[in-house]
Amino acid sequence: MLTAFIQDLKYALRVMRRSPRDTIIAAAILGLGIGANTAMFSAVNHVLWRPFPFPDEQRLVRLREQIVGNDGNPHPFNMSSRAILTVREHATDAFDDVVAMRGEDMTLLGQELPERVSVVLQTSGFEHTLRVQPVAGRALTADEERLGIDAAVALVSDAQANTRFGGAARALGQRVQLDDRTFTIVGVMPPQYAFPYEAQFWIPWRLDPQDRVRDFAVWAHTRAGVTRTQIDDAMTRVAAQMKSDPRGDVPGYGIEVRTIRDNLLGDQQRPLLALTEIVGFMLLIAAVNVATLLLARSVARQREFAIRVALGQSKARHISQLVAESLALAGVGCIAGLLLTTWLGPLTSALVPTVLSGQLGLATPTTDWRVAMFAVAVSLISAIVAGMIPAFGSWRSNPVVALASSGRSTTTGRRGRFLFNALVVAETALTLVLLAGAGLIIRNFVRLQTQPLGFNASGLLAIELTPSSTAYPDAARRSALLHRVIDEVSTTPGVSHVAATTVNPLGGGTWSSFVVTDATLAQNPHSTIGINLRLITPGLFDTMGVRLLRGRTFTSNDRAGTERVAIISDLLAKRLWPGEDPIGKRVRSASQGSPWMTVVGVAANVSDAHDPDAPRETWYLPFDQNAESRAAAHVYLMIRDGNAPLSVVTGVQRAIARVDKTLAPYNPVAMDIYFSTSIARERVSATMMLGFAAFGLMLAALGVYGVMAVTVSQRTTEFGIRLALGASASDIMSLAISRSVAMIGIGVGIGIAIAIALNRIVAHLLTDIGGVDVVTLATAAGLIVGAAVVACLMPAMRAARVDPASALKA
């Protein structure tokens, strides 16, 4: 059997050499289908299955406090110092190690210009919790945690060690000044490790149960053998202990536990899965198209097959020969697919979540053994599908009929016609599903690209600023500094407006709070509403171009010691006081003892990258009246320059330096460019799907054309007789096209049914925009029908030009 198969394989290679055009076309079709799927599988493998650089990853979990809102959904948030200490004390049976981390931006001094660096304040024990050891020096100790920042020691990233000190070994013992403190480097982290927050330095921190300002990302390492039920029981005990704390004394309070992979990736893996599902249909289309090509070629080889059968070839050997030919073709397609994967690699790498590339050093999908095996498996499956279909179409042909017929009039018989029709139906249905899925992804991108932001991003510059908590420890100094900075920046040439806010709406982060009104308290004393919180300075709405719908904006009179005021978004106004005028109404934070605030204005809704599907209810508070808040520690300067926003960056930096030389503004971004970058992953997805959809449509058209060409060549004698008996050219064209059009119609109907079922899943993986709508389906159906009709016209016109005399003579 092996010898016979090798002989068949050698013969298959000779057949491929004799018909290089068909070989190249088929190999290119399979190669593109295999390459696209292998590239997508490479990205999925990289995101979903490639191990994180944490040993015992399956035992590493993220802990967050959460409150169940009125909508019934949990709202998780970072943990307070009190909650972390409670977990450490009351969950020892569930976790053997717990580490708390908080990201801070500090100013690195002692060089020509100050520089903002990302610093992580963390408790000791990360090397036991995350199982990550410094490559040089040592980790932070429990004694250093008890001293906190006063321990004056730090760990440094490998990149910083190489850039600033010439290597890990030389970095040990070096001293760096962060803000107004000097730290000695005692350890260097592994290469490409910047977890979390793309950290550059790690310094010890002491948890204070009375600290209401800071919250932390908390990671825990579960004990061996502990079950999820035991973990949940431990978290219930922690929540009960937190009842004495105002933060935990609210209905629905609890502790959320998620694996590190679920926490870091979240919904970012969903678009990748949607793309993979849709691209899979392109491979099916390629396989069906190649099967159509091989079936058409087998029709032309009926006399060869008949002679083989007449000479004693068995049906098993006949099938083996055709499968060997398709395997040889698939081998060429596999090589082409792997080469194409290397070209598509940069595109798929753009789909990898930034948390993997920026913090864990997993930037580029690699072609490892899983990817290679996937490509081989896909090639084999494609070969079997593409080779067995023509084999079934030819193994029952009558050798006597085949030997007696001429090559031009060879017919496939009823079974052959059924296979041709089935392939047209399958290819049409698969193409429609591909087009509908591509339309959904493209529609998702267009929705994001054209969504109203609620402000004018053009000509707007954002610069981040984080004043030192030691240099500006209280609200008064923080407010005074910000006003001096705004006044100085406003004198910069080219700057027309400048103001500050605590959240960049396109940045992806947010501050939240829970609020109550007189009405909600009267209905249910424990009822709260979760909304976005923004601290802003006067003039922000004018600077950003946010419309004020009614009332007034904040002024310099809205300062500490005056009546507390607030501006709310239109969505929040309609939710709190539907059908009423909110101006003059009272609202406050749900925290006990919080002051009431008077609503003085209603602003238009602003889209938030934190809530991409719809704007969330938001309230705006004066920065001066809330400068003691945790949110006030970090601000964004919003600067309006009608020409080129980035051209004023140097002038703005110099203006800030004139106020305080230790301030280091960072991350200057033009908001329109920032918005375009924020949807880069969706843009790549849409571009890839547009290309794949165009290729799938071309494959479908070629498949229909191939079937039509074979059918017309088989019916040449019939058409000649009809013409001789008086049929017109239009009658012949109609006769030639009618069967294909009927098959296309059946394929469109089946494709619509599959698309409706499949795109419910795809739509859920992308956004909450729902399944395929009528416009998407109609567009996809119109494209496939139009392409198919065009593909039918050329063979039909050829049939109408048949010479009756030549046809009858043949």
Side-chain angles (χ1 to χ4, degrees):
M1 291 178 63
L2 181 61
T3 301
F5 182 75
I6 292 176
Q7 291 176 346
D8 291 337
L9 200 57
K10 291 180 178 179
Y11 180 75
L13 295 175
R14 291 200 297 272
V15 170
M16 292 170 63
R17 273 201 314 270
R18 285 202 305 266
S19 53
R21 185 187 64 181
D22 291 346
T23 300
I24 292 173
I25 292 175
I29 291 172
L30 271 182
L32 187 54
I34 293 170
N37 278 267
T38 304
M40 288 305 304
F41 177 81
S42 177
V44 171
N45 170 61
H46 185 77
V47 173
L48 300 185
W49 299 308
R50 183 175 177 178
F52 286 171
F54 302 113
D56 291 341
E57 174 193 326
Q58 68 281 2
R59 291 171 58 187
L60 189 57
V61 295
R62 169 80 181 272
L63 306 181
R64 291 194 293 181
E65 298 177 80
Q66 69 178 16
I67 294 176
V68 178
N70 290 340
D71 55 2
N73 296 321
H75 299 277
F77 46 90
N78 283 343
M79 299 187 72
S80 65
S81 298
R82 166 74 186 279
I84 300 167
L85 293 171
T86 305
V87 169
R88 282 184 165 185
E89 181 179 355
H90 294 278
T92 54
D93 58 333
F95 309 122
D96 48 24
D97 290 294
V98 177
V99 63
M101 299 179 171
R102 174 180 170 82
E104 294 276 3
D105 291 307
M106 291 186 172
T107 304
L108 180 63
L109 301 173
Q111 49 191 1
E112 183 178 355
L113 293 174
E115 178 184 348
R116 294 304 291 182
V117 291
S118 178
V119 178
V120 169
L121 313 177
Q122 69 175 33
T123 60
S124 63
F126 81 92
E127 73 278 13
H128 303 300
T129 306
L130 303 179
R131 301 299 198 260
V132 175
Q133 298 287 343
V135 294
R138 61 173 177 81
L140 304 176
T141 66
D143 290 336
E144 288 165 345
E145 178 187 339
R146 283 188 285 271
L147 292 172
I149 198 170
D150 291 332
V153 295
L155 306 179
V156 66
S157 68
D158 180 75
Q160 286 286 322
N162 286 309
T163 301
R164 300 190 184 280
F165 309 112
R170 294 184 177 181
L172 296 178
Q174 297 287 341
R175 297 164 71 85
V176 293
Q177 185 178 356
L178 300 173
D179 287 346
D180 57 349
R181 292 176 177 267
T182 301
F183 298 85
T184 301
I185 296 175
V186 297
V188 180
M189 300 301 283
Q192 297 185 318
Y193 180 87
F195 182 80
Y197 312 121
E198 300 188 21
Q200 296 163 287
F201 294 90
W202 293 258
I203 61 179
W205 188 259
R206 179 176 61 86
L207 296 174
D208 180 0
Q210 303 304 318
D211 184 1
R212 307 288 183 186
V213 176
R214 295 175 178 83
D215 50 19
F216 296 83
V218 178
W219 305 93
H221 193 269
T222 60
R223 289 190 176 277
V226 69
T227 65
R228 183 55 191 252
T229 301
Q230 292 172 306
I231 294 175
D232 291 340
D233 291 341
M235 295 302 95
T236 301
R237 293 196 305 271
V238 171
Q241 291 293 323
M242 286 291 293
K243 291 296 183 183
S244 60
D245 187 278
R247 187 162 174 165
D249 188 21
V250 294
Y253 175 83
I255 307 294
E256 178 197 62
V257 181
R258 297 184 68 181
T259 65
I260 184 172
R261 187 171 292 271
D262 286 344
N263 179 260
L264 292 183
L265 297 180
D267 293 339
Q268 297 184 73
Q269 53 194 320
R270 293 163 64 186
L272 204 58
L273 294 174
L275 272 172
T276 304
E277 288 184 9
I278 295 173
V279 171
F281 278 86
M282 195 183 75
L283 178 63
L284 291 176
I285 294 171
V288 171
N289 197 277
V290 172
T292 305
L293 181 64
L294 293 180
L295 181 58
R297 193 164 66 178
S298 71
V299 171
R301 297 170 62 191
Q302 288 294 332
R303 291 174 63 82
E304 173 197 336
F305 296 152
I307 293 174
R308 288 177 177 276
V309 172
L311 293 177
Q313 184 185 55
S314 66
K315 292 178 180 178
R317 184 65 186 275
H318 174 66
I319 293 176
S320 173
Q321 176 190 337
L322 292 180
V323 170
E325 292 180 16
S326 59
L327 282 174
L329 192 62
V332 177
C334 180
I335 295 173
L338 286 175
L339 292 175
L340 183 62
T341 302
T342 61
W343 179 74
L344 290 174
L347 288 178
T348 56
S349 64
L351 303 174
V352 176
T354 54
V355 68
L356 300 186
S357 58
Q359 299 183 24
L360 302 181
L362 307 178
T364 305
T366 54
T367 307
D368 60 13
W369 66 271
R370 293 185 186 89
V371 177
M373 291 302 295
F374 178 84
V376 172
V378 167
S379 302
L380 291 176
I381 294 172
S382 303
I384 293 173
V385 172
M388 292 302 292
I389 291 178
F392 282 122
S394 61
W395 73 338
R396 292 187 178 182
S397 61
N398 190 328
V400 176
V401 175
L403 288 170
S405 61
S406 67
R408 176 167 185 144
S409 60
T410 299
T411 179
T412 59
R414 181 175 298 175
R415 289 190 181 89
R417 287 195 299 272
F418 174 80
L419 277 175
F420 271 129
N421 294 337
L423 288 173
V424 170
V425 171
E427 194 156 25
T428 303
L430 291 172
T431 304
L432 191 139
V433 174
L434 174 64
L435 291 177
L440 188 65
I441 289 180
I442 294 170
R443 196 180 96 195
N444 178 58
F445 169 69
V446 171
R447 182 187 66 86
L448 293 175
Q449 178 77 27
T450 59
Q451 67 177 345
L453 298 177
F455 65 93
N456 181 13
S458 179
L460 187 62
L461 175 72
I463 295 183
E464 297 182 56
L465 196 64
T466 307
S468 168
S469 58
T470 53
Y472 305 95
D474 53 55
R477 296 183 189 181
R478 197 179 293 174
S479 293
L481 170 69
L482 188 55
H483 284 296
R484 292 202 308 272
V485 167
I486 291 175
D487 291 341
E488 194 65 36
V489 170
S490 65
T491 64
T492 303
V495 172
S496 59
H497 294 80
V498 58
T501 178
T502 52
V503 172
N504 180 349
L506 301 181
T510 190
W511 287 100
S512 301
S513 68
F514 293 87
V515 298
V516 294
T517 66
D518 293 313
T520 56
L521 286 177
Q523 294 172 2
N524 182 356
H526 297 291
S527 177
T528 61
I529 298 174
I531 62 174
N532 282 335
L533 166 67
R534 307 286 184 265
L535 305 184
I536 66 174
T537 62
L540 179 76
F541 291 163
D542 290 336
T543 302
M544 294 188 64
V546 179
R547 290 187 302 118
L548 186 70
L549 302 181
R550 65 173 68 94
R552 68 172 179 87
T553 59
F554 297 143
T555 68
S556 58
N557 294 325
D558 298 316
R559 57 184 182 274
T562 62
E563 180 189 11
R564 296 273 187 153
V565 293
I567 297 175
I568 62 176
S569 67
D570 188 46
L571 275 175
L572 183 58
K574 292 177 179 177
R575 180 174 181 181
L576 295 180
W577 298 285
E580 301 180 39
D581 185 1
I583 302 300
K585 298 291 177 60
R586 297 198 312 167
V587 62
R588 69 170 174 83
S589 170
S591 301
Q592 292 294 330
S594 296
W596 285 101
M597 302 181 188
T598 302
V599 177
V600 297
V602 177
N605 302 316
V606 175
S607 293
D608 195 325
H610 186 70
D611 304 289
D613 295 326
R616 190 180 177 196
E617 295 94 338
T618 303
W619 70 340
Y620 302 89
L621 305 180
F623 186 91
D624 289 348
Q625 292 183 348
N626 300 272
E628 77 286 350
S629 167
R630 290 180 298 163
H634 175 87
V635 297
Y636 292 84
L637 291 180
M638 293 294 177
I639 302 164
R640 172 70 62 185
D641 175 16
N643 299 318
L646 292 176
S647 65
V648 301
V649 170
T650 302
V652 169
Q653 291 173 333
R654 290 173 179 169
I656 295 174
R658 289 196 297 269
V659 176
D660 186 344
K661 292 183 178 180
T662 65
L663 287 176
Y666 56 104
N667 290 345
V669 292
M671 291 292 282
D672 51 355
I673 299 176
Y674 192 57
F675 173 66
S676 179
T677 305
S678 68
I679 56 174
R681 187 177 297 117
E682 288 78 7
R683 182 182 296 104
V684 170
S685 300
T687 303
M688 291 176 63
M689 284 313 305
L690 189 61
F692 293 154
F695 180 75
L697 188 63
M698 182 184 69
L699 284 184
L702 288 175
V704 173
Y705 172 82
V707 171
M708 279 290 297
V710 171
T711 303
V712 168
S713 67
Q714 292 173 352
R715 302 175 66 185
T716 299
T717 302
E718 174 197 341
F719 292 150
I721 294 174
R722 290 180 180 275
L723 288 169
L725 295 177
S728 65
S730 60
D731 293 333
I732 298 300
M733 288 185 63
S734 176
L735 188 65
I737 292 177
S738 59
R739 182 180 298 170
S740 295
V741 170
M743 294 302 102
I744 291 167
I746 295 173
V748 167
I750 296 175
I752 288 175
I754 297 174
I756 291 175
L758 180 68
N759 280 280
R760 293 180 185 274
I761 302 173
V762 175
H764 172 70
L765 289 173
L766 290 173
T767 59
D768 295 329
I769 61 177
V772 176
D773 59 7
V774 176
V775 175
T776 304
L777 278 178
T779 302
L783 285 172
I784 186 66
V785 170
V789 170
V790 171
C792 291
L793 284 177
M794 291 181 63
M797 293 171 64
R798 191 182 309 122
R801 292 195 298 266
V802 169
D803 181 6
S806 299
L808 291 173
K809 181 179 181 181

